[in-house]
Amino acid sequence: NEPSPTVNYGTSTALRVDGSPFVRSYLRFNVQGLAGTITKATLRVYATSSSSIGYDVRSVSDNSWDERTLNYTNAPAFGPVVASSGSFTGPIWKELDVTVLINGDGTYSLALTTPHTTAIGFASREAGANAPQLVITTAP
């Protein structure tokens, strides 16, 4: 959250993204036990609000961040957009193909951003049943 650059939101039940001021959300998934070849990886997030522009998913190569200490000042850099949602009316589960980012067992960090100046809300891991999910499909 750019206006509060040293505040940590690691235990919040909500994720947010905004283009002005900048608010970004980071997700990390520990993928283990895959058998076969990955045919598809889908990021599922539960949007609690609507957006006329949507949000973007970006890669984050640095997995050393911790959700209880992460803030705007120390957040790792993210890569280019790998998937965009387009507009949607929430609340709704949104699914984006992130196969290009997942290549096997390991730890994967993703950033959610938006160019729009209206904030978008999502359920966080702490929200329970509507927590973000990384769904991976494999083939023998």
Side-chain angles (χ1 to χ4, degrees):
N1 184 354
E2 183 181 32
S4 301
T6 60
V7 175
N8 171 265
Y9 299 92
T11 59
S12 175
T13 58
L15 300 172
R16 288 190 48 203
V17 297
D18 198 343
S20 181
F22 290 122
V23 177
R24 302 158 179 153
S25 288
Y26 284 71
L27 304 172
R28 184 171 44 216
F29 297 94
N30 187 10
V31 176
Q32 298 208 6
L34 291 178
T37 303
I38 296 171
T39 57
K40 188 167 187 181
T42 304
L43 176 64
R44 297 185 75 227
V45 292
Y46 189 75
T48 57
S49 60
S50 302
S51 177
S52 61
I53 299 291
Y55 65 95
D56 300 320
V57 177
R58 299 168 180 265
S59 65
V60 178
S61 59
D62 181 351
N63 289 316
S64 65
W65 59 275
D66 182 273
E67 69 180 18
R68 302 218 189 269
T69 58
L70 182 72
N71 60 48
Y72 186 83
T73 302
N74 68 14
F78 47 78
V81 173
V82 297
S84 297
S85 70
S87 64
F88 58 88
T89 301
I92 189 172
W93 278 101
K94 291 299 298 173
E95 298 183 353
L96 293 179
D97 186 338
V98 294
T99 307
V100 66
L101 298 177
I102 311 302
N103 57 24
D105 287 351
T107 301
Y108 297 93
S109 291
L110 309 171
L112 303 181
T113 65
T114 186
H116 200 307
T117 58
T118 300
I120 306 169
F122 304 92
S124 76
R125 177 175 67 122
E126 285 74 16
N130 293 333
Q133 303 168 359
L134 182 62
V135 180
I136 301 174
T137 305
T138 60

